[in-house]
Amino acid sequence: MKKLLVIGASGFVGGALARELLAQGFAVRCLARKPESVAALAAAGCEAVKGDVGDPASLERALDGTDGVYVSIHTLSPQSGAGGFMDIEKAGMRNLMAACKATGVRRLIQVTSLGVAPDAPSVWTRERGRIEQELLASGLDVTFIHPGMIVGIGGRGFGMTVAQAKSRVALVIGDGRGRMRGIAIGDLVYYLIGVLDEPRAFGQAYDVGNDEVPSSNEMIDMVAGVLGRRPPPKIHIPRALLRAAVPLLERMLKTPPGALKDIVGSLGADGVGDPMPIRALLPRKPLPFRDAVAKALNI
């Protein structure tokens, strides 16, 4: 029985992954800054350990005796110093790379997002793409999984789309024409676990998702249809207007300088990718968007 470390188990994707790993009989260890944040997982059999990607010693302790590590983090935390807003995440992944080498743990699987590439226009996806390149050159057995909108209760993008579909008038950033491939949380977890012992996945990055790439406007309308509601009229908010409010929002929300500006700038960008290569390894076809929504909302 393999023992696997999950970093990010207090979050939506990491929590779903840890629960399914436990259900399949794996021994699971969860790294958390606050172990009480994974209390439900601990009650289900997960070993909760205190630590953080910013603490190299805690990473080595958490990795000790494990057969692999899953990473699902989204770091937009306030940080000191003059560095960029991605510095915590970049430093954390480099710490993890070093800790894997120190403990002899070779298998590393990370979930990020569609669009991650070293030359991506967004700072967030570009810096993640550069870290991916460092990890691919590290000698570790790494695999990266890139989802678009993750359909499930707890997914931020999906939650916003449901809220818009339920509104009398939906407020949409930009023109609403940007397309995004979706994936049910269960299908994402299927891929994450499926690549674990698949040598052909070592050193690879895979886009994942269903066969549809609806626009933001279309997603809202499809969710409304699943809910049995009429599609709401939409007011499209120019991104330039939101960008003007970014400095104030960053101070109010205490996000790192530049983070919200980058996120706002990337809103409305297409997230299409190519979901076919991974299906050569793992043939289960993901749920269509409407079916994934109905399952998530228990309809």
Side-chain angles (χ1 to χ4, degrees):
M1 179 170 58
K2 287 190 172 183
K3 177 177 282 189
L4 300 168
L5 175 65
V6 178
I7 299 176
S10 62
F12 169 49
V13 173
L17 171 63
R19 287 189 294 273
E20 183 58 26
L21 287 169
L22 287 169
Q24 293 191 22
F26 292 95
V28 181
R29 179 180 291 166
C30 297
L31 181 75
R33 289 191 298 270
K34 298 178 180 179
E36 60 270 21
S37 67
V38 292
L41 287 170
C46 175
E47 178 189 359
V49 297
K50 184 177 176 63
D52 183 80
V53 293
D55 180 356
S58 73
L59 286 173
E60 289 192 22
R61 289 193 297 270
L63 283 165
D64 185 45
T66 66
D67 300 291
V69 55
Y70 283 97
V71 186
S72 177
I73 57 175
H74 182 167
T75 306
L76 288 176
S77 306
Q79 48 194 276
S80 59
F85 70 87
M86 279 294 295
D87 283 0
I88 286 179
E89 185 170 329
K90 289 191 296 182
M93 293 306 298
R94 287 169 180 154
N95 288 340
L96 180 59
M97 190 189 320
C100 283
K101 292 181 177 181
T103 56
V105 174
R106 294 192 53 80
R107 191 70 176 112
L108 186 154
I109 301 168
Q110 184 180 14
V111 54
T112 55
S113 63
L114 284 177
V116 167
D119 58 352
S122 160
V123 174
W124 187 41
T125 49
R126 183 168 65 246
E127 292 300 323
R128 281 187 154 188
R130 291 172 179 174
I131 285 293
E132 282 192 4
Q133 293 303 305
E134 289 185 32
L135 284 160
L136 288 167
S138 69
L140 300 174
D141 297 328
V142 298
T143 303
F144 301 100
I145 302 295
H146 299 161
M149 176 185 283
I150 304 170
V151 180
I153 300 302
R156 291 183 181 180
F158 178 64
M160 290 177 60
T161 303
V162 172
Q164 289 169 320
K166 291 180 176 179
S167 299
R168 293 180 62 184
V169 177
L171 301 179
V172 181
I173 304 299
D175 60 14
R177 296 176 184 173
R179 299 185 300 154
M180 178 62 67
R181 195 179 300 277
I183 186 168
I185 181 63
D187 289 327
L188 174 56
V189 169
Y190 161 76
Y191 285 130
L192 287 167
I193 297 176
V195 298
L196 176 63
D197 293 320
E198 176 50 78
R200 290 176 294 175
F202 296 178
Q204 301 296 323
Y206 294 106
D207 300 333
V208 296
N210 54 37
D211 292 337
E212 303 149 286
V213 280
S215 68
S216 298
N217 288 337
E218 290 168 339
M219 279 188 173
I220 294 169
D221 292 350
M222 285 192 283
V223 172
V226 172
L227 291 168
R229 303 170 66 97
R230 290 184 178 179
K234 300 166 187 68
I235 295 177
H236 294 96
I237 303 172
R239 285 195 293 274
L241 182 62
L242 190 57
R243 281 197 295 268
V246 161
L248 175 61
L249 290 172
E250 285 185 339
R251 290 194 296 271
M252 292 174 58
L253 299 174
K254 299 181 180 179
T255 59
L260 283 182
K261 179 181 178 181
D262 190 62
I263 291 172
V264 169
S266 64
L267 289 174
D270 287 343
V272 177
D274 180 4
M276 300 311 295
I278 197 170
R279 297 189 196 177
L281 306 181
L282 301 168
R284 188 178 92 183
K285 191 173 181 179
L287 288 173
F289 184 76
R290 284 184 176 84
D291 293 348
V293 171
K295 185 172 182 179
L297 300 178
N298 197 27
I299 293 174

